[in-house]
Amino acid sequence: MAGSQDVHVRICNQEIVKFDLEVKALIQDIRDCSGPLSALTELNTKVKEKFQQLRHRIQELEQSAKEQDKESEKQALLQEVENHKKQMLSNQTSWRKANLTCKIAIDNLEKAELLQGGDHLRQRKTTKESLAQTSSTITESLMGISRMMSQQVQQSEEAMHTLVNSSRTILDANEEFKSMSGTIQLGRKLITKYNRRELTDKLLIFLALALFLATVLYIVKKRLFPFL
């Protein structure tokens, strides 16, 4: 039974130390908080939860101390409980001071923002005028770009018409070339046929001439050399 009590006491002490450190970390976060109030409220909610858990563990440790059989161990644990309670009270004091410091900082920040409100309004007015001027400049630039694009489209259309006309001219020339090619081929065929016929005529003339000469030679031979 004493062994289980010792384990419970150790667990309680470990949890108390853990919650104490977590509370201190949250208090430091509150000191560093610069707003808004919703952030401060959220941090305070977390601190309350940790304090509740810490208080519960200290009560458990106090109950364990009262259940100790030995008076010396009982008094030692009660002294630890008292130290933990003092530490918790110190943390609560630090918590209140951190809240006060944070709220003062948030109030000062809000006052500074209110004082600078006029400057912000003037800056907004200047910004609006600048935006209006910039918008006008952009509009003019867009109109200029639109005109340039219109001119480019018109030039592209003219170039397209020129290409179409050139294509038609090329097609017409191609048809003429085809026609001329047919005429040339026909002329070539006629010339070839004529050359063949001329060759045939020359050959016939040559044969006729040879026959004529042979006949003349035969007649001359008969008259001049009858005995042959």
Side-chain angles (χ1 to χ4, degrees), residues 16-208:
I16 289 170
V17 172
K18 173 187 173 185
F19 293 138
D20 179 72
L21 292 174
E22 290 177 350
V23 166
K24 285 181 170 62
L26 288 170
I27 292 172
Q28 185 61 43
D29 291 339
I30 291 174
R31 290 194 188 98
D32 298 335
C33 179
S34 59
L37 284 175
S38 58
L40 178 60
T41 302
E42 184 178 355
L43 288 171
N44 281 324
T45 301
K46 293 180 180 179
V47 172
K48 289 177 182 178
E49 292 176 355
K50 295 300 178 183
F51 268 128
Q52 186 176 358
Q53 294 171 342
L54 178 61
R55 188 178 295 107
H56 178 69
R57 283 300 185 185
I58 292 174
Q59 290 173 353
E60 287 185 357
L61 183 62
E62 186 176 10
Q63 183 63 32
S64 296
K66 292 177 181 180
E67 294 174 355
Q68 294 295 321
D69 296 330
K70 293 181 179 181
E71 186 65 23
S72 59
E73 293 179 357
K74 179 179 179 180
Q75 293 300 323
L77 286 177
L78 287 175
Q79 184 62 42
E80 288 184 14
V81 169
E82 188 64 25
N83 292 335
H84 290 317
K85 287 182 178 180
K86 289 180 181 179
Q87 184 63 44
M88 185 175 66
L89 289 174
S90 176
N91 287 336
Q92 288 175 341
T93 303
S94 299
W95 178 32
R96 287 193 292 271
K97 290 181 180 179
N99 266 280
L100 181 61
T101 302
C102 182
K103 288 180 180 178
I104 292 173
I106 292 174
D107 290 340
N108 291 333
L109 183 62
E110 290 178 351
K111 289 178 182 178
E113 289 179 351
L114 288 175
L115 291 174
Q116 294 177 355
D119 294 336
H120 287 312
L121 290 175
R122 286 191 293 272
Q123 289 177 358
R124 289 178 182 175
K125 183 178 180 181
T126 304
T127 302
K128 288 182 179 179
E129 292 177 353
S130 177
L131 288 174
Q133 185 177 0
T134 303
S135 177
S136 178
T137 304
I138 292 173
T139 302
E140 292 178 358
S141 299
L142 290 174
M143 291 178 65
I145 293 172
S146 178
R147 287 193 294 268
M148 291 177 62
M149 290 179 67
S150 178
Q151 292 176 357
Q152 291 292 332
V153 170
Q154 185 177 359
Q155 292 177 0
S156 298
E157 289 179 352
E158 293 176 355
M160 183 65 69
H161 288 310
T162 303
L163 289 173
V164 170
N165 293 330
S166 299
S167 178
R168 289 176 180 174
T169 303
I170 292 171
L171 289 174
D172 293 340
N174 189 25
E175 292 296 330
E176 291 181 0
F177 286 146
K178 288 181 180 179
S179 177
M180 291 176 64
S181 177
T183 304
I184 292 171
Q185 289 180 358
L186 180 60
R188 184 181 297 170
K189 289 179 180 179
L190 291 174
I191 291 172
T192 302
K193 185 176 180 180
Y194 175 76
N195 288 333
R196 291 177 180 175
R197 188 170 181 178
E198 183 180 7
L199 180 61
T200 304
D201 292 341
K202 288 180 178 180
L203 183 58
L204 290 174
I205 293 171
F206 177 75
L207 291 175

Side-chain angles (χ1 to χ4, degrees), residues 1-11 64 67-69 73 77:
M1 185 67 177
S4 63
Q5 286 182 346
D6 291 340
V7 172
H8 183 67
V9 168
R10 277 200 306 273
I11 293 174
S64 296
E67 294 174 355
Q68 294 295 321
D69 296 330
E73 293 179 357
L77 286 177

